[in-house]
Amino acid sequence: MLDYLELEDDLTGEEKLVRDEARRFVEEKVKPDIGDHFEQGTFPTDLIPEMGELGFYAPNLDGHGLPGLGERAYGLLMQELEAGDSGLRSMASVQGSLVIYPIHAFGSEEQKERWLPALGNGEAVGCFGLTEPQHGSNPAGMETRAEKDADGYVLNGSKTWITNSPIADVAVVWARDTSAGGSPVRGFLVETDRDGVTTNKIDDKLSMRASVTGEIGLDDVWVSDDDVLPGVEGMKGPLSCLTQARFGISWGVVGAARDAFEDALQYAKDREQFGGPIARFQLQQGKFAEMATQITNAQLQAHRLAELKERGDLRHQHVSMAKRHNVRVARDVTRTAREVLGGNGITTDYSPMRHMENIETVYTYEGTDDIHTLVIGADLTGIEAFE
Ligand code: FAD
């Protein structure tokens, strides 16, 4: 596997174990039929509990059955999962960074006891409801409302593009609490079988096909006071979750790029044209040199992010830079890799085009490339381009 600057020589024994276990899981359980799932638009749901047993959900957190691994181990896990498919890494990102993390960071002791063990071992599936039909890049404009009643809240609104909502047991729904001054955003744990909740599936996706995506409709849905995340108020609630998930994406997409690169390299050595392997042509070698350099630069950013996170110095702007850069790399590399495969490259028999299509989603979700560009620009100039 491409590790040109030998970054993985510095891994600890534990980190190597995590990487190897995830790599084996992907080789044995994911790769054999991920192409079929992509074609059929299905997620391999039978793998959800197995991923839980293997500790793939929020292993960088501790307590309530979570193992408390380091940030680099977590990053390596995301990298290996996304080498399988971005849908697989999305499953682990949503469950870990967007559902387990907010309960772990902002939940009451009762909420933690109730949800963390079940989410951690994959018995329960969670989803994260922030985006709305009219509010994507600007989630602060959200219209979903929580109105206070005697001992709870009544939720109304709709969320869309929600990974896993049709298969989720619980949704972390972000809504404005109209009972408090300034209607601050608060997080609500909403079981999806409550009266008034609908979770329609979004079909016809041309990207991230091996992942279930849906809406969350909230029509007078009652939740108790005990279902509100007590430890956070305002946009820092959802935004802090997104920083966690984007850290995982910065690592994950390196896996997609690397897998596409490896497929193309093998193909170029095997495929013969004009009396020998296409890998001997200088034009092809130029592509491999460029892809390997780009992937290596992305690996360097990912490894550095983990160091900064581990020592508590990671700023969300650092994560914006790595998310933006590494997704761009994955976008370029998967397209070039597909090109090397010629006609065979447009089938699901090889990974590059599937990864390439998935990356269009990754380029857009968790902050589009444009939004991260503006975050970095604001950090550098001190001038916000948008509110
Ligand atoms: P818009 O915000 O309408 O943006 C459209 C275009 O305008 C983009 O190119 C954008 O960069 C550009 N733009 C917007 N504002 C600016 C600006 N200020 N300056 C310059 N350009 C700008 N959301 C969740 O809450 N939970 C999930 O689990 C989830 N999963 C998803 C899964 C998939 C498969 C997809 C596709 C999306 C998912 N999302 C999820 C939603 C995702 O986060 C949004 O699609 C994303 O934030 C962009 O919002 P939008 O699609 O409304 O695009």
Side-chain angles (χ1 to χ4, degrees):
M1 298 284 172
L2 185 71
D3 177 25
Y4 206 71
L5 292 185
E6 297 166 17
L7 288 162
E8 297 197 2
D9 285 3
D10 298 340
L11 300 183
T12 64
E14 182 178 74
E15 288 165 344
K16 285 182 183 154
L17 272 178
V18 170
R19 178 199 62 189
D20 293 346
E21 188 171 63
R23 200 173 275 180
R24 183 192 50 75
F25 171 80
V26 165
E27 285 300 325
E28 290 175 8
K29 301 287 174 78
V30 179
K31 285 198 172 174
D33 49 24
I34 193 65
D36 291 342
H37 279 290
F38 189 88
E39 273 184 57
Q40 287 155 24
T42 53
F43 183 80
T45 45
D46 52 314
L47 297 181
I48 293 174
E50 189 171 346
M51 289 170 71
E53 278 162 33
L54 290 167
F56 288 176
Y57 305 133
N60 52 341
L61 301 178
D62 57 9
H64 300 279
L66 301 168
L69 297 179
E71 298 297 345
R72 191 160 60 175
Y74 177 71
L76 289 161
L77 169 64
M78 294 298 118
Q79 182 177 266
E80 296 309 322
L81 293 180
E82 197 147 358
D85 193 85
S86 300
L88 198 71
R89 198 268 309 138
S90 293
M91 171 72 216
S93 282
V94 169
Q95 185 90 341
S97 297
L98 299 180
V99 181
I100 293 178
Y101 171 81
I103 298 172
H104 190 272
F106 311 124
S108 65
E109 203 42 45
E110 294 71 38
Q111 289 169 346
K112 290 179 195 182
E113 272 165 29
R114 174 159 183 216
W115 288 112
L116 293 185
L119 290 163
N121 67 25
E123 271 169 32
V125 174
C127 67
F128 178 86
L130 179 64
T131 303
E132 298 186 355
Q134 303 308 324
H135 307 280
S137 296
N138 179 23
M142 72 175 66
E143 294 167 48
T144 301
R145 292 283 181 271
E147 276 177 62
K148 189 84 190 78
D149 75 2
D151 49 1
Y153 287 85
V154 178
L155 296 170
N156 277 290
S158 61
K159 301 286 178 181
T160 191
W161 290 117
I162 308 305
T163 302
N164 283 349
S165 76
I167 58 167
D169 301 288
V170 62
V172 176
V173 169
W174 300 95
R176 289 203 175 273
D177 174 1
T178 55
S179 67
S183 300
V185 169
R186 307 215 49 192
F188 298 83
L189 300 178
V190 182
E191 291 138 292
T192 52
D193 59 3
R194 282 193 176 253
D195 286 347
V197 178
T198 47
T199 56
N200 296 331
K201 184 167 176 276
I202 298 174
D203 290 316
D204 304 333
K205 285 182 300 173
L206 297 175
S207 168
M208 205 65 94
R209 287 186 53 74
S211 171
V212 185
T213 316
E215 303 166 338
I216 305 176
L218 301 156
D219 184 11
D220 282 338
V221 177
W222 185 84
V223 294
S224 86
D225 288 335
D226 296 337
D227 295 318
V228 186
L229 293 175
V232 75
E233 218 179 77
M235 284 304 291
K236 72 171 180 292
L239 293 181
S240 63
C241 302
L242 293 174
T243 300
Q244 303 297 317
R246 289 163 182 166
F247 169 79
I249 290 172
S250 304
W251 276 87
V253 289
V254 180
R258 189 196 67 197
D259 189 64
F261 170 88
E262 296 290 349
D263 245 22
L265 186 61
Q266 190 59 51
Y267 189 87
K269 289 178 187 170
D270 295 342
R271 173 74 175 167
E272 297 198 353
Q273 288 294 290
F274 300 98
I278 59 170
R280 79 190 191 284
F281 295 126
Q282 291 177 358
L283 286 175
Q284 300 307 322
Q285 291 190 3
K287 289 174 195 172
F288 286 111
E290 184 57 31
M291 285 192 280
T293 307
Q294 284 192 315
I295 292 169
T296 302
N297 286 339
Q299 286 169 334
L300 285 165
Q301 289 213 19
H303 279 256
R304 179 63 179 158
L305 275 199
E307 284 167 11
L308 290 170
K309 194 164 193 278
E310 203 63 65
R311 69 178 203 215
D313 290 332
L314 188 68
R315 297 191 297 126
H316 74 85
Q317 293 92 342
H318 295 147
V319 182
S320 284
M321 180 175 280
K323 194 269 184 185
R324 175 180 181 272
H325 175 262
N326 291 4
V327 175
R328 283 181 171 210
V329 165
R331 207 184 194 202
D332 283 354
V333 166
T334 53
R335 194 178 54 229
T336 306
R338 196 234 47 87
E339 185 182 307
V340 171
L341 270 69
N344 285 326
I346 70 156
T347 68
T348 51
D349 294 341
Y350 296 89
S351 75
M353 186 142 176
R354 176 170 49 78
H355 286 308
M356 182 181 112
E357 290 178 11
N358 285 338
I359 294 299
E360 289 307 300
T361 287
V362 187
Y363 191 78
T364 294
Y365 76 8
E366 301 271 352
T368 66
D369 180 270
D370 292 329
I371 294 298
H372 289 296
T373 303
L374 297 176
V375 168
I376 300 164
D379 193 39
L380 295 171
T381 62
I383 306 167
E384 297 281 352
F386 64 95
E387 288 298 316

